[in-house]
């Protein structure tokens, strides 16, 4: 008999959207290492297939465009047929709107097409995911849904209006889902994670690869008390707690992971003892 401790997600079936890279991939790797059977999904099929293969027998890949109802139906049917259950759903897929080039995304100049495109992935995708997840988890009456919102879902963002509004929608819908499930007598929990400045490929479009990359990177984190980007793995560890039964009493809650950005500001008069001399 082996003396190895069971993983924190031993035997759980997890579906993660947008898992071909970035935060989704870090969660997939961590969860698989904790004993979960992980279904990575994305629209980047080659990267997703490669990532799942690298994780071994604990993982497989499925194509799932979160904007499309038929994709959700097919993916959840596939999971219920093969893994027989769904315990954890992570609605992680998201876009900033800058992926295809830097166009204006402020409240005055955002085009309706750009606004709708961001909403379709970030907000419609989470709505469809929660709907499909609740239906699948009803089979056991238990589960954990984790929605990736953002710091921008809590405060405004003049340069990324659609992104901020979509993430605010995710924040609020998370609480609605949590209350709905509880009222239905289901032990299906739903919580949101609010990261800021996590260094993933999402940042490539705005950081660029020119000589100013470092300067731009420093500027993006200068207001964060911890003065650095966070890592996908740090977000994955927070998600691990929410995915596991350790968080069984936690629902409708929001968790910031932002290097202290939302804690307040340093911009106050200096009242330290040295400052009066
Ligand atoms: N990185 C950050 O600083 C940060 C901050 C706040 C919130 N977030 C949120 O965390 C989540 C993950 O972000 P990331 O930084 O890892 O981004 P990323 O761009 O590195 O990865 C996002 C993944 O989502 C996939 N995706 C995009 N559209 C999709 C669709 N329609 N259907 C399925 N998959 C799709 C992409 O192919 C990609 O693999 C997003 O929801 C993002 O908004 C990230």
């Amino acid at each position: 008999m082996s003396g190895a401790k069971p993983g924190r997600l031993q035997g759980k079936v997890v579906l993660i959207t947008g898992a071909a890279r970035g935060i989704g991939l870090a969660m997939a790797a961590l969860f698989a290492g904790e004993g979960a059977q992980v279904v990575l999904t994305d629209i980047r099929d080659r990267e997703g297939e490669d990532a799942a293969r690298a994780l071994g027998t604990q993982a497989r890949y499925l194509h799932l465009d979160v904007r499309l109802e038929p994709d959700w139906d097919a993916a959840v049917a596939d999971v219920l047929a093969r893994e027989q259950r769904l315990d954890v759903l992570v609605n992680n897929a998201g876009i900033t709107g800058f992926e295809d080039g830097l166009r204006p995304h402020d409240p005055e100049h955002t085009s309706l097409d750009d606004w709708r495109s961001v909403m379709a992935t970030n907000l419609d995708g989470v709505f469809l995911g929660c709907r499909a997840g609740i239906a699948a988890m009803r089979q056991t009456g238990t589960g954990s849904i984790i929605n990736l919102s953002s710091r921008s879902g809590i405060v405004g963002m003049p340069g990324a209006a659609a992104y901020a509004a979509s993430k605010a929608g995710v924040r609020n819908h998370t609480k609605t889902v949590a209350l709905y499930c509880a009222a239905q007598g289901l032990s299906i929990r739903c919580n949101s994670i609010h990261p800021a400045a996590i260094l993933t490929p999402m940042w490539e479009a705005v950081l660029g690869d020119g000589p100013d990359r470092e300067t731009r990177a420093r500027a993006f984190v200068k207001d964060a008390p911890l003065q650095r980007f966070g890592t996908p793995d740090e977000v994955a560890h927070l998600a691990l707690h929410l995915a596991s039964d350790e968080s069984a009493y936690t629902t409708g809650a929001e968790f910031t992971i932002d290097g202290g950005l939302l804690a307040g500001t340093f911009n106050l008069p200096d009242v330290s003892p040295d400052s009066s001399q």
Side-chain angles (χ1 to χ4, degrees):
M1 201 175 93
S2 136
K5 253 175 69 178
R8 290 165 69 187
L9 298 181
Q10 201 66 43
K12 289 197 187 292
V13 177
V14 179
L15 187 153
I16 305 173
T17 68
R21 67 183 201 182
I23 293 170
L25 177 55
M27 290 190 285
L30 182 66
F31 289 11
E34 290 290 342
Q37 198 62 42
V38 183
V39 181
L40 292 84
T41 69
D42 208 293
I43 49 177
R44 293 174 185 274
D45 294 334
R46 199 178 47 76
E47 283 171 69
E49 298 275 9
D50 289 350
R53 203 173 305 112
L55 293 179
T57 54
Q58 294 293 121
R60 70 183 178 100
Y61 176 78
L62 271 181
H63 176 90
L64 165 55
D65 184 331
V66 297
R67 297 168 292 188
L68 305 178
E69 277 185 292
D71 278 25
W72 274 107
D73 293 344
V76 169
D78 192 282
V79 170
L80 292 181
R82 293 217 10 210
E83 280 87 11
Q84 311 279 306
R85 56 189 287 141
L86 179 65
D87 300 300
V88 178
L89 167 66
V90 187
N91 287 309
N92 166 75
I95 59 171
T96 56
F98 297 118
E99 288 77 6
D100 303 327
L102 297 180
R103 290 189 294 279
H105 272 258
D106 62 77
E108 190 178 4
H109 301 102
T110 304
S111 73
L112 185 56
D113 281 350
D114 283 343
W115 175 273
R116 284 182 172 155
S117 162
V118 171
M119 290 292 167
T121 298
N122 294 5
L123 190 51
D124 296 359
V126 170
F127 153 66
L128 291 172
C130 290
R131 197 177 71 177
I134 295 167
M137 290 171 184
R138 259 189 196 281
Q139 292 199 358
T140 58
T142 67
S144 173
I145 299 175
I146 301 165
N147 293 332
L148 267 290
S149 176
S150 170
R151 172 271 301 246
S152 319
I154 298 176
V155 295
M157 215 184 195
Y163 183 77
S166 71
K167 293 297 186 180
V170 170
R171 178 194 190 198
N172 191 273
H173 192 59
T174 298
K175 297 177 199 307
T176 296
V177 169
L179 294 174
Y180 172 80
C181 290
Q184 295 272 308
L186 298 165
S187 296
I188 301 173
R189 302 179 292 107
C190 188
N191 296 288
S192 57
I193 295 181
H194 301 259
I198 309 299
L199 198 54
T200 68
M202 177 178 266
W203 281 86
E204 289 306 318
V206 280
L207 287 180
D209 55 5
D212 297 338
R213 182 184 167 93
E214 268 306 304
T215 314
R216 271 197 290 272
R218 267 198 304 279
F220 276 118
V221 295
K222 79 173 186 336
D223 292 335
L226 294 186
Q227 295 279 303
R228 66 167 174 89
F229 276 94
T231 68
D233 199 47
E234 287 168 331
V235 182
H237 276 88
L238 174 54
L240 172 61
H241 172 67
L242 295 174
S244 78
D245 294 337
E246 296 155 13
S247 58
Y249 197 48
T250 302
T251 195
E254 53 194 55
F255 295 83
T256 55
I257 175 160
D258 63 357
L261 203 51
L262 289 177
T265 176
F266 285 139
N267 298 331
L268 292 170
D270 184 359
V271 290
S272 63
D274 293 347
S275 64
S276 57
Q277 289 162 16

